[in-house]
Amino acid sequence: MGTAAAAAAAGEGARSPSPAAVSLGLGVAVVSSLVNGSTFVLQKKGIVRAKRRGTSYLTDIVWWAGTIAMAVGQIGNFLAYTAVPTVLVTPLGALGVPFGSILASYLLKEKLNILGKLGCLLSCAGSVVLIIHSPKSESVTTQAELEEKLTNPVFVGYLCIVLLMLLLLIFWIAPAHGPTNIMVYISICSLLGSFTVPSTKGIGLAAQDILHNNPSSRRALCLCLGLLAVLGCSIIVQFRYINKALECFDSSVFGAIYYVVFTTLVLLASAILFREWSNVGLVDFLGMACGFTTVSVGIVLIQVFKEFNFNLGEMNKSNMKTD
């Protein structure tokens, strides 16, 4: 009896979504990552157009197109987070980096040589590896479990550290070094991901109790409203500093570095809060590590060597001269 009860409790604590839900969540996550990959490029294009006219980018239709795309992408992420584990959705944002680089090569005339194209291929391959080895079960499935996790001293301590770092970056470091150091704005936006992604997933869990009109629905409503407030404030601050970064730096470089730092911090926050990694075996953990490394290498190839005038035609000419 004790063994059966323990097995039942474990099954409840680590619920596996249906294959249809996983497929739908993956599809939405992939589409959202592609939409999100276009946002920085469209917003950068709008900023450049506005500067040429000597007007505010708020008056440019291309910038607004990028902003609307960002909203659509975030809504898609919200739906994906409610269907599949965070550690599966977040790394799939890598697909937006090569898509954004290809789009930037046409709209912003940014370079994409043969190494960049190889980087695009590696990013896509790494994303497939991440999908294969990611956890397929969720460790937090109810509002009660979510409340317990949110009040965990380890997670509260982590949030206090993040808040302290954000205050230092926003009020002291960003005004002096933000326009010259890309990592300042990226750090602000990425650290805010420690609030946005857990809040998004938490809202989805709380909404289930509200819609089912459970006895705890009033409590769930309060939790949902609190998480919505946190999510709204985080998105507004992120939005502001993303546009500050795009005014000063290359959109592709920002998007690539932002992906790596954002994904790392979000996975850390999700690991502390939801503990989805507890359902991952050693083989799958190594597979995800290899997938994330492959994605990161692909992103480095896209960005670090983008200024090199390097193509297959020049390689063939060089080999002919050597012969």
Side-chain angles (χ1 to χ4, degrees):
M1 290 289 290
T3 305
E12 291 177 359
R15 176 178 59 87
S16 295
S18 65
V22 172
S23 300
L24 179 61
L26 282 176
V28 172
V30 170
V31 173
S32 298
S33 68
L34 297 178
V35 173
N36 286 327
S38 68
T39 58
F40 297 150
V41 179
L42 293 174
Q43 288 181 326
K44 178 70 174 182
K45 181 70 174 179
I47 291 171
V48 171
R49 279 161 46 103
K51 281 185 176 179
R52 287 175 183 168
R53 295 195 307 266
T55 60
S56 170
Y57 58 76
L58 293 174
T59 62
D60 190 90
I61 190 171
V62 177
W63 182 86
W64 278 108
T67 303
I68 293 171
M70 180 181 290
V72 172
Q74 293 305 316
I75 292 171
N77 283 339
F78 171 79
L79 296 174
Y81 285 129
T82 60
V84 291
T86 306
V87 295
L88 174 57
V89 177
T90 306
L92 284 178
L95 294 174
V97 177
F99 181 73
S101 296
I102 294 170
L103 193 62
S105 68
Y106 289 101
L107 294 182
L108 300 174
K109 306 303 179 184
E110 294 178 358
K111 295 180 180 178
L112 186 66
N113 56 28
I114 187 65
L115 290 178
K117 293 173 183 176
L118 177 61
C120 292
L121 180 62
L122 286 174
S123 296
C124 294
S127 297
V128 173
V129 174
L130 286 170
I131 292 172
I132 293 172
H133 292 283
S134 64
K136 303 302 186 293
S137 61
E138 300 182 81
S139 57
V140 179
T141 58
T142 65
Q143 174 208 335
E145 291 175 352
L146 177 62
E147 291 179 359
E148 181 183 350
K149 299 292 186 183
L150 287 173
T151 55
N152 186 295
V154 177
F155 183 69
V156 173
Y158 172 76
L159 286 186
C160 289
I161 294 172
V162 170
L163 278 173
L164 179 60
M165 293 177 67
L166 282 170
L167 290 173
L168 288 172
L169 285 166
I170 291 172
F171 293 105
W172 280 278
I173 299 176
H177 304 287
T180 57
N181 190 330
I182 193 173
M183 288 307 300
V184 175
Y185 293 146
I186 285 176
S187 298
I188 293 173
C189 296
S190 300
L191 285 169
L192 285 166
S194 298
F195 297 97
T196 55
V197 174
S199 294
T200 300
K201 195 166 182 70
I203 289 168
L205 290 173
Q208 293 177 12
D209 284 349
I210 296 172
L211 294 175
H212 291 137
N213 199 22
N214 291 334
S216 60
S217 59
R218 184 180 295 274
R219 193 169 176 177
L221 179 61
C222 294
L223 176 63
C224 188
L225 291 175
L227 292 175
L228 273 173
V230 172
L231 179 63
C233 292
S234 300
I235 289 175
I236 290 171
V237 178
Q238 275 183 294
F239 186 74
R240 180 188 177 196
Y241 283 97
I242 283 173
N243 281 282
K244 278 180 172 288
L246 292 175
E247 288 181 20
C248 303
F249 305 104
D250 187 293
S251 64
S252 296
V253 173
F254 173 79
I257 302 174
Y258 178 55
Y259 163 76
V260 176
V261 180
F262 178 85
T263 301
T264 302
L265 291 176
V266 167
L267 291 180
L268 175 61
S270 298
I272 295 172
L273 177 60
F274 298 114
R275 301 190 179 179
E276 291 168 339
W277 291 97
S278 61
N279 301 317
V280 178
L282 178 61
V283 173
D284 286 330
F285 175 80
L286 292 175
M288 289 197 71
C290 291
F292 185 65
T293 302
T294 303
V295 169
S296 300
V297 170
I299 290 172
V300 169
L301 286 176
I302 293 172
Q303 302 305 330
V304 174
F305 299 101
K306 67 184 300 181
E307 298 300 329
F308 283 57
N309 292 320
F310 181 77
N311 55 54
L312 290 175
E314 292 181 357
M315 287 181 61
N316 291 332
K317 289 180 181 178
S318 177
N319 290 334
M320 291 176 64
K321 290 179 181 179
T322 304
D323 294 339

